[in-house]
Amino acid sequence: MGKKFLVLALLLNCWIYQQGIAQSVVEQWGRFEVSFKHQPAKNPFVDDNLSAVFSNGNSKVKVHGFYDGNNTYIVRFMPTKTGTWTYLTSSNIPELNGKKGKFVCKPATDNNHGPVMVRNQYHFAYADSTPYYPFGTTVYSYIHQDNEHVAVALNTLAKSPFNKLRFLIFPQWQDYTKVQTPFFQFEKSKEPLPKKDTILWDYSRFDPAFFRNMEKHIDELAEKGVEADVILFHPYDEGKWGFDKMSHKTDLFYLKYIVARLSSFRNVWWSLCNEFDHFKYKSDADWDDLIATVAKEDPYHHLCSIHNDKRMFNNTNPALTHACVQGGTYVDDFGRAVIQRDAYKKPVVYDEICYEGDIVYRWGNLSAERMVYRYWQGAIAGCYAGHGETFVGKDSVLHLVWGRELRGRSPERIRFLKSIMEETGTLEQIDHFWGMNNMAKSEHGDILIYLGTEAKTEWPFVLSRDLKLPEGTKYTAEIIDTWNMTRTPVPGIFCTTKADAKGIYDNKSRTIGLPGKPYMAILLKPTR
Amino acid sequence: MGKKFLVLALLLNCWIYQQGIAQSVVEQWGRFEVSFKHQPAKNPFVDDNLSAVFSNGNSKVKVHGFYDGNNTYIVRFMPTKTGTWTYLTSSNIPELNGKKGKFVCKPATDNNHGPVMVRNQYHFAYADSTPYYPFGTTVYSYIHQDNEHVAVALNTLAKSPFNKLRFLIFPQWQDYTKVQTPFFQFEKSKEPLPKKDTILWDYSRFDPAFFRNMEKHIDELAEKGVEADVILFHPYDEGKWGFDKMSHKTDLFYLKYIVARLSSFRNVWWSLCNEFDHFKYKSDADWDDLIATVAKEDPYHHLCSIHNDKRMFNNTNPALTHACVQGGTYVDDFGRAVIQRDAYKKPVVYDEICYEGDIVYRWGNLSAERMVYRYWQGAIAGCYAGHGETFVGKDSVLHLVWGRELRGRSPERIRFLKSIMEETGTLEQIDHFWGMNNMAKSEHGDILIYLGTEAKTEWPFVLSRDLKLPEGTKYTAEIIDTWNMTRTPVPGIFCTTKADAKGIYDNKSRTIGLPGKPYMAILLKPTR
């Protein structure tokens, strides 16, 4: 390289650094990123600040930047509408203050439908109005393994029916999970160690390598159409690293950093904590404060929830967009799942209903039949269930922890339910009355009746009065075998009577014959 | 009577009127009442005000008075502590302003334990700390019949196990209830009637005769140890009187009046509305405002709730002391009733779980067995259930409406449950896990296991891990037949193992033999 060229290159480099490196075109709900080079004077995580206001017509969005290591400061932004966006930075570093720039936001392409939001109070849709039905699974240590293994888990996920993944930010140290992680959230302290095997953290310095690695995996999930339900805190530390014992100040410092990094990722959902009630060192008021912090720092208001074990969080907190509930019992019979929906008046995702598997713990040896049954119980109540798998195998590598392979028989049946829901649209339990709470009406007017474990040979055509159907409403019917994944049309058309004190009937008193097996459902579709 | 004596009597009369007529000694949680004679200038309900501040040491309580007709203004007060109370009135009527007086409050006697309050977050006790277990029933038109019939209903109630009565302030006009009431809350309007059979009300003038009559009946209930759960609004008017369509201003005017009259009655509970979601003319915000008004006007903070049909009210409203829930399905299986408790984090009384009876409506033909089963399901979940009876008889005089006689077989079994709860103390469901949610721990350490409809011949001694029992904890056992009301001791003593992943067992693997009948329970009591 000639000397002149080198000088030119250095000058160009300086100019680029000063202007920031950024894209000129970004998709709607894609990610714009501008980075600036600057050598921090002291601790950039603590002492430096950087933010930017993005403008497009009447829209103005303020976002926080972050320090990414290597003398690099970054601002990320998710444009929520098309057109030209301009930005202006603010910083206590003079060289990064008052930087201007612009980019063009083009319409979204392919499988980019934007972030998922609440739709019709109890359900979900992407920002472009495409319905989203959560059919999630959990792989706790997804990001705490090497990239080769993440690729295996991602491939498993891509072939599964699951469109949401719950995973932990901090590493876990419990049965089946005792594998060291190559990355940590904070830098190790330079203080001398008080005793062997104890790690001390410098809670004022993040390790950006951890976050960059996680972000790569979140983007991979987005490519496969999988929402990333990131669990920001968890209590499964067992004294190993101490991330469950950080001060409230450190918790807030961490949350602000991760929200600055991740809120521009369209597929991110915030899950404040797994089994919050197992946390020894935080009160409900602490959680309220942490939830409020996420809501305040996230300009896009991604979905936000907190997950319980034995004690429910007060899910009426308005910053929680939906209830994320552990509890297999809630979806173990008719008329149960809807109770939480009625109480919280927001969507309920039963994200942990025990796991299909064979481990000794009672939460980890559900049969495939019961898992599928519980999914249907959730669906029929206008709620959603979540999957997890705990077959111990030869190597104790649980899907729940590492996500490598699915061995269970429930995922295919869950896919079958998903296909039915994609056809009917969202479901609402019609009637809360004892004996009539096994039927749902869909947003397209279909009626879905789930018969659960009853092995009936006949379903008498009786619908709930609460449907308020005009006399003479006509339906076609099909028999659904939810276990064998078959759909069998019933010949003829059913036509409703007037309601009496107990129900609505077929005007020719027809019934529907059934094969005397459990796990059957009936789907009625309006016809003329 | 001599002329001199007449003059003296008149002077005395004037002096008494000026000082007010009042008691000099009142029991704790009894009712002090001072009345003043004064001829109103205009409309005393609207134009006049009267209040008083009662003081005793550091305690100061401000209460509102009310106009009681017949040129009489009254201030009532419930002293919550013993000692000498003084009072000072305020009024826009100069003759009633600045009146002073005092009385002595002596300790409560007999069955006066004070008002019922929330105890230990999910339960109840009287103000003197005596536990109170709500075992209520409903007689909607209790006060809307002549006194002879009220006496019959009261006598029925006094012989029953029920210690709480829900009844309507406004008259009801529905099936089985179409009987004219002799009393109304408001004076009839002097305006000409627009059409025959239409009553117009002067919503600026109460009819004190209605309230005096109701108060007599509330005092009679207190004497029998029955709490009066007064339903302040209801939607069952059907265009007959229009009390469901009053303006918000009239609603507030009425609430302030009735709270001024009734808050000094120790056995009053406020039930804002029955089936609030059937109200066509009020929003949830209206209800919140009405609830806040009651809470503000009632200086004693009596228990306060609102009752639903198909849609739950947001029972997290802090002015609601407990959730009063309609819904038989909530107590129709294990692990269900507790869900609302977990959501609202306050006591839950399932005050309407369908009625034992034989009417055609599906809410009114529950078997006695199912009623008792539902009571047990409520109890085992740390909640409470409520009774109602709808046998139509020859005369269509339902107990639910008039309360004359109980024909059902559930009340005696409910009394049996009540006696067990009085022995064990409050119950808490131990475990929310599927299959382990049929057991409760009592505040005295007893364990109560309810077996529901299962007709088992054996109960394997398996307790929930969540009991966290030390190994070697010893229990005696008895078998309870909840239907036949028998209690049979099991010989020997059970002694617990260490918990494994699924439960806690007897260390000799003993089981408990059962008679193969439904509705059995097992009571374990700690022993040495």
Side-chain angles (χ1 to χ4, degrees):
Chain A
M1 203 189 295
K3 200 174 172 184
K4 270 188 187 166
F5 185 73
L6 184 67
V7 169
L8 195 68
L10 280 170
L11 280 171
L12 183 69
N13 207 19
C14 280
W15 180 81
I16 286 169
Y17 283 178
Q18 208 170 355
Q19 290 306 308
I21 300 171
Q23 313 103 297
S24 59
V25 178
V26 174
E27 276 193 11
Q28 190 177 13
W29 307 304
R31 188 161 66 250
F32 172 82
E33 182 174 302
V34 54
S35 63
F36 304 95
K37 283 284 179 186
H38 172 78
Q39 188 166 347
K42 292 190 285 179
N43 178 346
F45 299 106
V46 172
D47 300 309
D48 298 342
N49 65 58
L50 171 63
S51 65
V53 174
F54 287 79
S55 307
N56 176 353
N58 292 328
S59 301
K60 267 196 198 312
V61 183
K62 184 179 176 180
V63 301
H64 291 289
F66 58 91
Y67 182 68
D68 192 41
N70 302 321
N71 302 335
T72 306
Y73 294 77
I74 294 180
V75 171
R76 289 174 176 163
F77 174 65
M78 175 176 73
T80 53
K81 69 179 198 186
T82 55
T84 300
W85 287 87
T86 59
Y87 63 86
L88 175 64
T89 66
S90 300
S91 177
N92 63 342
I93 303 166
E95 293 86 344
L96 307 190
N97 188 45
K99 294 289 163 194
K100 288 179 186 174
K102 65 178 178 180
F103 71 94
V104 172
C105 176
K106 296 206 162 168
T109 59
D110 299 331
N111 74 347
N112 172 3
H113 302 286
V116 174
M117 306 157 84
V118 172
R119 174 169 76 108
N120 295 343
Q121 186 168 0
Y122 295 113
H123 304 285
F124 300 95
Y126 294 100
D128 74 352
S129 299
T130 305
Y132 172 83
Y133 308 104
F135 280 79
T137 191
T138 297
V139 178
Y140 281 128
S141 296
Y142 187 77
I143 62 167
H144 297 290
Q145 52 192 334
D146 60 43
N147 286 344
E148 197 181 322
H149 281 116
V150 177
V152 173
L154 179 64
N155 189 42
T156 297
L157 203 53
K159 289 187 294 183
S160 83
F162 303 119
N163 60 10
K164 179 168 79 72
L165 184 69
R166 305 184 73 239
F167 60 86
L168 305 172
I169 300 294
F170 288 108
Q172 185 180 14
W173 188 258
Q174 281 196 319
D175 285 2
Y176 304 113
T177 64
K178 290 176 179 164
V179 175
Q180 283 288 359
T181 175
F183 298 115
F184 288 102
Q185 294 68 26
F186 294 94
E187 278 188 22
K188 286 179 185 160
S189 175
K190 291 173 184 72
E191 303 282 314
L193 295 183
K195 60 173 181 170
K196 219 181 149 199
D197 285 343
T198 305
I199 303 169
L200 281 188
W201 304 103
D202 179 350
Y203 283 123
S204 72
R205 290 180 183 271
F206 297 103
D207 183 352
F210 166 81
F211 292 92
R212 281 195 297 268
N213 180 65
M214 171 183 70
E215 287 158 5
K216 173 172 136 45
H217 297 320
I218 292 176
D219 274 341
E220 292 160 359
L221 290 170
E223 262 177 57
K224 302 293 185 191
V226 178
E227 300 294 302
D229 204 354
V230 300
I231 301 170
L232 297 166
F233 294 96
H234 70 74
Y236 320 121
D237 189 289
E238 306 284 336
K240 178 72 180 167
W241 299 290
F243 297 130
D244 57 341
K245 289 181 203 167
M246 302 190 304
S247 71
H248 193 63
K249 193 180 149 199
T250 302
D251 288 346
L252 295 174
F253 179 62
Y254 153 71
L255 280 184
K256 287 177 186 175
Y257 187 72
I258 198 166
V259 173
R261 295 196 69 115
L262 284 189
S263 62
S264 57
F265 286 65
R266 69 170 170 272
N267 63 327
V268 160
W269 301 22
W270 309 116
S271 177
L272 260 289
C273 192
N274 218 61
E275 296 189 328
F276 84 97
D277 49 324
H278 286 226
F279 243 91
K280 293 193 187 103
Y281 313 101
K282 294 193 204 309
S283 68
D284 285 14
D286 290 334
W287 288 116
D288 279 331
D289 193 42
L290 299 176
I291 292 165
T293 299
V294 170
K296 180 168 163 283
E297 296 290 315
D298 170 11
Y300 316 104
H301 308 299
H302 287 273
L303 292 171
C304 183
S305 69
I306 185 167
H307 170 272
N308 64 288
D309 179 18
K310 297 194 197 308
R311 190 164 70 82
M312 292 300 301
F313 195 80
N314 180 4
N315 284 305
T316 62
N317 180 325
L320 297 173
T321 54
H322 62 288
C324 166
V325 177
Q326 172 175 183
T329 188
Y330 299 129
V331 282
D332 206 51
D333 199 2
F334 296 101
R336 231 179 249 244
V338 79
I339 303 175
Q340 300 241 9
R341 229 186 75 145
D342 290 349
Y344 297 127
K345 301 187 188 300
K346 46 183 82 168
V348 179
V349 183
Y350 291 100
D351 254 317
E352 191 176 338
I353 57 173
C354 301
Y355 305 121
E356 184 187 355
D358 59 6
I359 62 174
V360 66
Y361 298 112
R362 60 186 192 170
W363 45 261
N365 51 33
L366 203 63
S367 69
E369 287 83 352
R370 204 75 184 176
M371 171 62 83
V372 176
Y373 168 84
R374 289 179 173 189
Y375 254 86
W376 274 83
Q377 285 290 358
I380 214 81
C383 301
Y384 300 93
H387 168 270
E389 190 183 286
T390 49
F391 287 105
V392 70
K394 286 177 196 156
D395 46 9
S396 296
V397 175
L398 306 187
H399 182 270
L400 177 70
V401 182
W402 305 109
R404 310 265 164 87
E405 61 175 317
L406 283 164
R407 304 169 198 188
R409 294 176 302 151
S410 70
E412 282 318 296
R413 278 87 186 177
I414 292 168
R415 190 196 300 279
F416 180 69
L417 169 59
K418 191 180 174 196
S419 72
I420 289 171
M421 205 182 276
E422 283 165 355
E423 184 180 312
T424 61
T426 56
L427 297 169
E428 294 291 329
Q429 184 178 314
I430 296 161
D431 194 342
H432 292 200
F433 204 81
W434 173 50
M436 279 285 186
N437 48 22
N438 63 347
M439 50 187 77
K441 186 171 179 178
S442 87
E443 62 186 317
H444 309 323
D446 303 338
I447 297 170
L448 186 60
I449 301 118
Y450 180 55
L451 301 171
T453 53
E454 290 184 82
K456 291 193 168 182
T457 54
E458 190 179 74
W459 180 69
F461 189 102
V462 189
L463 301 175
S464 167
R465 287 166 54 83
D466 289 5
L467 275 163
K468 296 190 169 58
L469 292 178
E471 188 179 351
T473 306
K474 293 193 176 71
Y475 291 99
T476 59
E478 58 180 303
I479 298 167
I480 296 175
D481 183 330
T482 70
W483 181 252
N484 293 305
M485 298 177 279
T486 61
R487 298 174 63 165
T488 311
V490 178
I493 286 173
F494 294 83
C495 182
T496 61
T497 61
K498 268 177 74 171
D500 71 11
K502 293 186 182 173
I504 297 167
Y505 312 86
D506 175 58
N507 66 5
K508 288 181 187 143
S509 304
R510 291 180 64 195
T511 63
I512 293 180
L514 292 169
K517 291 191 289 185
Y519 310 125
M520 306 302 292
I522 291 162
L523 179 61
L524 306 177
K525 292 196 176 227
T527 188
R528 281 176 183 274
Chain B
M1 204 190 294
K3 199 175 173 185
K4 270 186 188 171
F5 184 75
L6 184 66
V7 169
L8 194 67
L10 279 172
L11 280 172
L12 183 69
N13 206 20
C14 281
W15 180 80
I16 286 170
Y17 283 177
Q18 209 170 353
Q19 289 308 307
I21 299 170
Q23 312 105 295
S24 58
V25 178
V26 174
E27 275 192 12
Q28 190 177 12
W29 307 302
R31 189 160 65 251
F32 172 81
E33 182 173 303
V34 54
S35 63
F36 303 95
K37 283 286 180 186
H38 172 78
Q39 187 165 348
K42 292 190 285 180
N43 179 347
F45 298 105
V46 172
D47 302 309
D48 298 342
N49 64 59
L50 172 64
S51 64
V53 174
F54 287 79
S55 306
N56 177 353
N58 293 327
S59 300
K60 268 197 196 312
V61 183
K62 183 178 176 180
V63 301
H64 291 288
F66 57 91
Y67 183 68
D68 192 41
N70 303 320
N71 303 335
T72 306
Y73 294 76
I74 293 179
V75 172
R76 288 174 178 164
F77 174 65
M78 176 176 72
T80 52
K81 67 179 197 185
T82 55
T84 300
W85 287 86
T86 59
Y87 64 86
L88 174 64
T89 67
S90 300
S91 175
N92 63 343
I93 303 165
E95 295 86 342
L96 308 191
N97 187 44
K99 293 289 164 193
K100 290 179 185 174
K102 65 179 179 179
F103 71 94
V104 172
C105 176
K106 295 206 163 167
T109 58
D110 299 332
N111 74 347
N112 172 4
H113 301 285
V116 175
M117 306 157 84
V118 172
R119 174 169 75 109
N120 294 343
Q121 188 169 0
Y122 295 114
H123 304 285
F124 301 96
Y126 295 100
D128 74 352
S129 300
T130 305
Y132 171 83
Y133 309 103
F135 280 80
T137 190
T138 298
V139 178
Y140 281 128
S141 296
Y142 186 77
I143 62 167
H144 297 291
Q145 51 191 334
D146 58 44
N147 286 344
E148 197 181 321
H149 281 116
V150 177
V152 173
L154 179 64
N155 189 42
T156 297
L157 203 53
K159 288 186 294 183
S160 83
F162 303 117
N163 59 10
K164 180 168 80 72
L165 184 69
R166 304 184 73 238
F167 60 87
L168 304 172
I169 301 294
F170 289 108
Q172 184 180 16
W173 188 258
Q174 279 195 319
D175 286 3
Y176 304 112
T177 65
K178 290 177 179 165
V179 175
Q180 282 289 359
T181 175
F183 298 114
F184 288 102
Q185 293 69 26
F186 294 95
E187 277 189 22
K188 286 179 184 161
S189 175
K190 289 170 185 75
E191 302 283 313
L193 294 184
K195 60 174 183 169
K196 219 181 151 201
D197 284 342
T198 305
I199 303 168
L200 282 188
W201 304 103
D202 179 349
Y203 283 123
S204 73
R205 289 180 184 271
F206 298 103
D207 183 351
F210 166 81
F211 292 92
R212 282 195 296 267
N213 179 65
M214 172 183 68
E215 286 157 5
K216 172 172 136 42
H217 296 320
I218 292 175
D219 274 341
E220 291 160 0
L221 291 171
E223 260 177 58
K224 302 292 186 192
V226 178
E227 300 293 301
D229 203 355
V230 300
I231 301 169
L232 297 166
F233 293 96
H234 70 74
Y236 321 121
D237 189 287
E238 306 284 335
K240 178 74 182 171
W241 300 291
F243 296 129
D244 56 342
K245 291 180 203 167
M246 303 190 306
S247 70
H248 193 63
K249 192 179 148 198
T250 302
D251 288 346
L252 295 174
F253 179 62
Y254 152 71
L255 281 185
K256 287 178 186 177
Y257 187 72
I258 197 167
V259 173
R261 294 197 70 115
L262 285 189
S263 61
S264 57
F265 287 65
R266 69 171 170 270
N267 62 327
V268 160
W269 300 22
W270 309 116
S271 177
L272 260 289
C273 191
N274 219 60
E275 296 188 328
F276 85 96
D277 48 324
H278 285 226
F279 243 92
K280 293 193 187 99
Y281 313 102
K282 294 194 205 309
S283 67
D284 285 14
D286 289 334
W287 288 118
D288 279 331
D289 194 42
L290 298 176
I291 293 164
T293 299
V294 170
K296 180 168 163 282
E297 297 289 315
D298 170 11
Y300 316 103
H301 308 300
H302 287 273
L303 292 171
C304 183
S305 70
I306 185 167
H307 170 273
N308 64 289
D309 181 18
K310 297 195 198 304
R311 190 165 69 81
M312 291 301 300
F313 195 80
N314 180 5
N315 284 305
T316 62
N317 180 325
L320 297 172
T321 54
H322 62 288
C324 166
V325 177
Q326 173 174 183
T329 189
Y330 299 129
V331 281
D332 206 50
D333 199 0
F334 296 101
R336 231 177 248 245
V338 79
I339 304 175
Q340 301 241 8
R341 227 185 77 144
D342 290 348
Y344 297 128
K345 302 187 188 300
K346 46 183 82 168
V348 179
V349 182
Y350 291 101
D351 253 318
E352 191 175 338
I353 56 172
C354 300
Y355 305 121
E356 184 188 354
D358 59 5
I359 62 173
V360 66
Y361 299 110
R362 61 186 190 168
W363 45 261
N365 51 32
L366 203 64
S367 69
E369 286 83 352
R370 205 74 184 174
M371 172 63 82
V372 176
Y373 169 84
R374 289 180 173 189
Y375 254 86
W376 274 82
Q377 285 289 358
I380 214 80
C383 301
Y384 299 93
H387 167 270
E389 190 183 286
T390 50
F391 287 104
V392 70
K394 286 177 195 156
D395 46 8
S396 295
V397 175
L398 306 187
H399 182 270
L400 178 69
V401 182
W402 305 109
R404 310 263 164 87
E405 61 175 316
L406 283 165
R407 302 170 200 190
R409 294 176 302 150
S410 70
E412 282 318 296
R413 277 88 184 176
I414 292 169
R415 189 195 302 279
F416 180 69
L417 169 59
K418 190 180 174 196
S419 73
I420 290 171
M421 204 182 280
E422 283 165 353
E423 185 180 314
T424 61
T426 55
L427 298 169
E428 295 290 330
Q429 184 178 314
I430 296 160
D431 194 343
H432 292 200
F433 204 82
W434 173 51
M436 279 284 185
N437 48 22
N438 63 348
M439 50 187 76
K441 186 172 179 178
S442 87
E443 62 186 317
H444 309 323
D446 303 338
I447 297 171
L448 186 59
I449 301 120
Y450 181 54
L451 300 171
T453 54
E454 290 183 83
K456 291 192 168 183
T457 55
E458 190 178 73
W459 181 70
F461 189 101
V462 189
L463 301 176
S464 167
R465 288 166 52 83
D466 290 5
L467 276 163
K468 296 188 170 57
L469 292 178
E471 188 180 350
T473 307
K474 294 194 175 71
Y475 291 100
T476 59
E478 57 181 302
I479 298 166
I480 296 176
D481 183 331
T482 71
W483 182 252
N484 292 306
M485 298 177 280
T486 61
R487 298 174 63 164
T488 312
V490 178
I493 287 174
F494 293 83
C495 182
T496 60
T497 61
K498 267 176 75 172
D500 72 10
K502 293 188 181 171
I504 297 166
Y505 313 86
D506 174 58
N507 66 5
K508 290 181 186 143
S509 305
R510 291 180 62 193
T511 63
I512 293 180
L514 292 170
K517 292 192 289 186
Y519 311 125
M520 306 303 291
I522 291 162
L523 179 60
L524 305 178
K525 294 198 175 223
T527 188
R528 282 175 183 273

